[in-house]
Amino acid sequence: KKGTKAAGKGSTFYCLLSGTPIDGKYIKAEGQAGRMGSKLMAIVCEGRSERVYLSPEQVQEDLAFSAKPEWKPEQMLVGKSADQVPLYGMRTYGDLFSDRQLLALNTVYDLIDDLRIHKNDAEDSHVHTSSLILRGNSVSEITYSNALALYLNYVADKCVDYWSCVCSWHISGQKMRNTFGRQAIAMVWDYAEANPFSGSTGNLIAMLDWVRKAILTSCPLFAGYSLQSDACNQSISENKVVSTDPPYYDNIMYADLSDYFYVWQKRYLSTIFPDLFQTIATPKNDELVASQYRHKSKKEANDFFLNGMIKAMSNISCQAHPSFPITIYYAFKQSETTDSGSFSTGWVTFLDAIIKSDMALVGTWPMRTELANKVSGIGSNMLSSSIVLVCRKRDEAAQTISRKDFLRELNQEIPKALDTMINGSDTSSPISPVDLAQASIGPGMAVYSKYKAILEADGSPMSVHTALILINKALDEYFKEREGDWDNDTRFCLQWFSEYGFKEGVYGDAEVLAKAKGLSVEGVRNSGVLLAGAGKVRLYRPAEYPADWNPLKDSRTPVWEVLHQLIQAHQSSGESAAARIVSALPQLSATARQLAFLLYTLCERKGWAEDARPYNDIVTAWLSIEKQAVKGEDKDEQTEFEF
């Protein structure tokens, strides 16, 4: 029932017969020797509003392995694409597909090519239909049949994404996961093979429908064109309003991953667009990313990114229209945590490039850009927004100030900015906790970047890295100052949580902490937030709070309890249940939302992704919850609480 794959990351398995662990090195050696195959384990069938899982018969497995494709991509995987699967013997793009998948893909592409050729014959004998397209600086024609083949190749691209042997099965959703569920070609040990002719997940008509919807929703109101040029020396942005989404340091190697589709497109589209498919693989050397696959060391990769980004941003800054700011999308998550705060090399390097381009940050706009299912995925604490950096050319008369003056100004500006982010404003909703640390960089760097330099005590200029650490400390100070708004029970819970999370701790330690807050453990227990007994103390998880809680009959209602009751109501009964609590305790609920931000930040720094998610979810839903609470009050509806 449990299978033979050992828990955790890596390639360790258990022997099917003896249960003895099999080392990952042996598995990799067998794969590289060509001795790793596939075994058909189950067939998923469509039932009446459900999936039916059947054990396969040998004839079905024989049929699967009887396919003989005429062509397979022989291009070698490189860079980021070669991060995992070549370790197990899959060295070429053709190795990423089963023979049956290759046969299906060849058939789809050949049919599209046949349609293009025969349609051209029909056009020559009847009426010539063509459209004008811009290639570089010249105008040329593309026939209707070639345009049709191009769009149908988008359908085939979708099939390539869903018909590979690194597509896993989405257990809870009972559907296909595509190859690029994330920006990597990842090894999977049990893959799902879609039936192209079914009416279910991963089928051909579904891929066609995706492209159809995209075309219908992206029809332009007027004709336009696009140009491609190197950002470091382009002149396209001269006197233009610039809004750009640059590469995110070492986050995604687009050129490496693009080869997955390029090897198929080159075979079938090079006759239509010969100038686009002149190279064997996609160009990579000039891609402005910090790729360790293309450089000798991490430092060399970092220097390449920094120097290239300085050139690109300086070029944009010099040419952009002076009346308008330059807006830059950035969503690189802070991932490194030290005793002195959180930061990431990606942010440090990118901000360093902007400042060395003589630009100043004048603001940030968190903008919701990610799908909800991406943000709340299993084990995820991904950003739900991109951070839009608003930049202008730095004043030529910019001054130099001391570290002390910088800190004074920082501590004035950060609280005002955070108040707006956390509480929202007339024109914006509250930011998600998952985005708070990123968004707070903006107002902090606005102070840093408007000066020519910030001088340390020894006269040296303050680095961007140091500034980011100080900004994070200002974020911590913001929350510490607001602890005074919370009751003693909540302050006890907060300090206990920072040490133990939802795990058990020693009763004696809890009693010492409680006395320091002017409390007793028994008193805090009576407030309904923790379990105490047998020499142990543990805070209740949100799901353990009673569903029949009545806040109006509770004589001791700490903010901690209100927050976790809100989470329990939201998780079990939805926004309407949480809205009833907000309606009954509006002031405490608002304070509870601030506590949610702090607890999310704390969990994130501790690496407690599962514990962090409910705090982000309740704040993300807060605007809708408040609207329902107000709506209930306006209608004077009777709630489930007794007044």
Side-chain angles (χ1 to χ4, degrees):
K1 277 188 175 181
K2 293 181 179 179
T4 57
K5 176 73 174 67
K9 296 181 179 180
S11 52
T12 304
F13 284 77
Y14 293 108
C15 173
L16 185 65
L17 299 178
S18 67
T20 304
I22 302 174
D23 187 76
K25 293 180 181 178
Y26 173 80
I27 301 293
K28 291 172 184 175
E30 288 297 289
Q32 291 172 23
R35 291 190 291 269
M36 188 165 68
S38 299
K39 177 71 180 172
L40 184 60
M41 300 299 294
I43 295 177
V44 186
C45 299
E46 293 181 62
R48 294 181 178 179
S49 302
E50 64 178 358
R51 302 285 191 212
V52 179
Y53 296 82
L54 304 176
S55 296
E57 298 179 358
Q58 186 62 44
V59 65
Q60 293 163 327
E61 184 172 298
D62 293 341
L63 187 62
F65 292 137
S66 68
K68 302 297 180 185
E70 294 184 359
W71 179 82
K72 63 185 288 187
E74 297 294 346
Q75 182 71 26
M76 299 293 290
L77 290 113
V78 296
K80 182 64 175 178
S81 294
D83 192 39
Q84 294 185 30
V85 291
L87 298 173
Y88 306 97
M90 292 182 277
R91 298 182 178 89
T92 70
Y93 285 98
D95 294 336
L96 299 176
F97 304 90
S98 69
D99 284 346
R100 181 157 64 174
Q101 289 169 334
L102 286 167
L103 179 58
L105 289 169
N106 279 327
T107 303
V108 170
Y109 276 106
D110 287 343
L111 286 170
I112 295 171
D113 209 38
D114 287 346
L115 174 66
R116 180 183 65 84
I117 295 170
H118 293 145
K119 185 66 179 173
N120 270 335
D121 292 342
E123 288 172 357
D124 292 340
S125 61
H126 292 92
V127 60
H128 182 71
T129 58
S130 66
S131 298
L132 297 179
I133 63 169
L134 184 69
R135 294 182 179 177
N137 294 316
S138 62
V139 175
S140 58
E141 291 185 344
I142 181 170
T143 62
Y144 176 82
S145 60
N146 284 345
L148 185 61
L150 173 63
Y151 283 110
L152 288 173
N153 264 270
Y154 296 154
V155 177
D157 282 344
K158 295 287 292 183
C159 295
V160 171
D161 191 22
Y162 275 86
W163 299 356
S164 81
C165 60
V166 287
C167 290
S168 58
W169 185 250
H170 193 297
I171 297 174
S172 59
Q174 299 191 77
K175 59 185 179 182
M176 292 285 304
R177 278 198 182 98
N178 59 326
T179 300
F180 289 100
R182 59 188 179 90
Q183 293 92 354
I185 298 177
M187 183 64 184
V188 299
W189 296 105
D190 43 1
Y191 70 91
E193 190 179 66
N195 179 353
F197 309 109
S198 72
S200 188
T201 179
N203 74 81
L204 175 60
I205 301 303
M207 304 298 114
L208 180 66
D209 200 43
W210 270 102
V211 175
R212 179 188 68 83
K213 290 177 181 177
I215 294 170
L216 289 176
T217 55
S218 59
C219 291
L221 298 176
F222 50 85
Y225 64 91
S226 64
L227 297 174
Q228 181 175 322
S229 185
D230 188 328
C232 293
N233 51 45
Q234 55 80 26
S235 59
I236 300 170
S237 62
E238 186 175 0
N239 259 356
K240 302 291 194 309
V241 178
V242 177
S243 183
T244 182
D245 188 1
Y248 298 159
Y249 191 62
D250 63 351
N251 201 27
I252 304 172
M253 308 298 157
Y254 287 107
D256 292 353
L257 301 176
S258 294
D259 280 343
Y260 179 86
F261 299 101
Y262 183 87
V263 294
W264 290 93
Q265 292 173 345
K266 179 177 173 64
R267 178 176 171 85
Y268 290 96
L269 288 178
S270 57
T271 54
I272 305 175
F273 302 103
D275 52 326
L276 293 180
F277 295 94
Q278 294 177 359
T279 56
I280 295 174
T282 58
K284 298 176 177 63
N285 290 338
D286 292 333
E287 184 183 20
L288 193 49
V289 290
S291 172
Q292 292 188 60
Y293 305 105
R294 301 172 203 165
H295 300 277
K296 296 178 181 178
S297 65
K298 187 172 183 178
K299 182 183 184 305
E300 190 174 307
N302 182 78
D303 290 345
F304 172 81
F305 179 84
L306 176 61
N307 295 331
M309 195 59 71
I310 290 173
K311 286 181 66 177
M313 290 300 164
S314 296
N315 191 29
I316 290 173
S317 176
C318 290
Q319 296 190 63
H321 198 295
S323 299
F324 299 92
I326 297 165
T327 52
I328 306 170
Y329 290 75
Y330 211 65
F332 194 92
K333 189 166 180 60
Q334 294 197 68
S335 56
E336 302 165 45
T337 302
T338 67
D339 292 338
S340 55
S342 297
F343 65 93
S344 79
T345 306
W347 265 109
V348 170
T349 308
F350 181 69
L351 290 170
D352 206 17
I354 289 179
I355 290 163
K356 288 179 178 176
S357 306
D358 289 329
M359 286 197 286
L361 273 72
V362 296
T364 49
W365 301 333
M367 183 174 288
R368 187 63 48 82
T369 55
E370 305 303 318
L371 291 171
N373 60 357
K374 281 184 66 178
V375 178
S376 58
I378 297 173
S380 166
N381 62 343
M382 295 172 59
L383 293 171
S384 63
S385 303
S386 291
I387 307 303
V388 183
L389 308 176
V390 187
C391 304
R392 286 188 181 274
K393 199 165 184 64
R394 187 184 299 112
D395 189 345
E396 293 181 358
Q399 299 177 344
T400 297
I401 65 170
S402 67
R403 176 189 178 106
K404 183 178 179 181
D405 290 336
F406 169 68
L407 287 173
R408 183 185 300 112
E409 190 170 346
L410 187 69
N411 291 329
Q412 289 173 350
E413 295 300 321
I414 286 287
K416 291 187 291 186
L418 291 175
D419 278 339
T420 301
M421 292 180 196
I422 290 174
N423 300 316
S425 65
D426 295 337
T427 57
S428 65
S429 58
I431 193 173
S432 298
V434 70
D435 298 322
L436 185 64
Q438 299 289 75
S440 65
I441 290 174
M445 290 307 298
V447 176
Y448 176 88
S449 62
K450 74 179 183 181
Y451 293 104
K452 185 177 181 180
I454 314 292
L455 298 182
E456 299 280 14
D458 62 0
S460 62
M462 179 185 290
S463 67
V464 170
H465 174 247
T466 299
L468 283 177
I469 290 176
L470 293 174
I471 291 167
N472 275 286
K473 284 185 175 180
L475 178 64
D476 293 339
E477 288 299 320
Y478 172 85
F479 284 118
K480 284 181 181 178
E481 289 178 6
R482 274 139 193 83
E483 285 187 28
D485 298 337
W486 300 331
D487 52 90
N488 286 342
D489 286 349
T490 297
R491 292 166 66 193
F492 167 87
C493 293
L494 178 61
Q495 194 164 339
W496 185 261
F497 184 80
S498 67
E499 287 291 325
Y500 299 98
F502 291 113
K503 296 179 181 178
E504 286 185 339
V506 178
Y507 187 98
D509 294 342
E511 189 64 32
V512 171
L513 175 60
K515 286 181 178 178
K517 305 291 183 186
L519 303 166
S520 67
V521 173
E522 296 302 313
V524 180
R525 182 180 65 178
N526 293 338
S527 71
V529 297
L530 58 77
L531 184 68
K536 299 291 182 182
V537 171
R538 178 178 65 82
L539 291 168
Y540 286 128
R541 291 183 175 275
E544 296 177 292
Y545 282 78
D548 59 351
W549 180 64
N550 186 336
L552 301 179
K553 288 187 174 181
D554 195 336
S555 59
R556 186 167 177 167
T557 314
V559 173
W560 186 277
E561 181 184 23
V562 174
L563 171 60
H564 291 84
Q565 285 286 5
L566 279 165
I567 293 172
Q568 188 279 139
H570 182 241
Q571 289 180 333
S572 62
S573 305
E575 293 177 357
S576 58
R580 287 193 289 273
I581 297 175
V582 172
S583 180
L585 302 171
Q587 291 182 330
L588 282 177
S589 296
T591 308
R593 183 180 65 186
Q594 291 186 341
L595 179 60
F597 276 95
L598 174 57
L599 291 177
Y600 178 87
T601 303
L602 178 61
C603 289
E604 184 182 41
R605 292 183 181 177
K606 295 279 189 179
W608 301 339
E610 289 298 321
D611 294 334
R613 186 177 301 111
Y615 302 120
N616 187 67
D617 290 346
I618 193 69
V619 174
T620 302
W622 196 270
L623 197 61
S624 178
I625 291 170
E626 275 194 332
K627 286 180 179 178
Q628 292 192 45
V630 171
K631 185 178 178 182
E633 292 172 359
D634 290 344
K635 290 185 177 181
D636 197 25
E637 293 175 346
Q638 184 178 359
T639 70
E640 293 182 6
F641 303 134
E642 296 178 9
F643 289 87

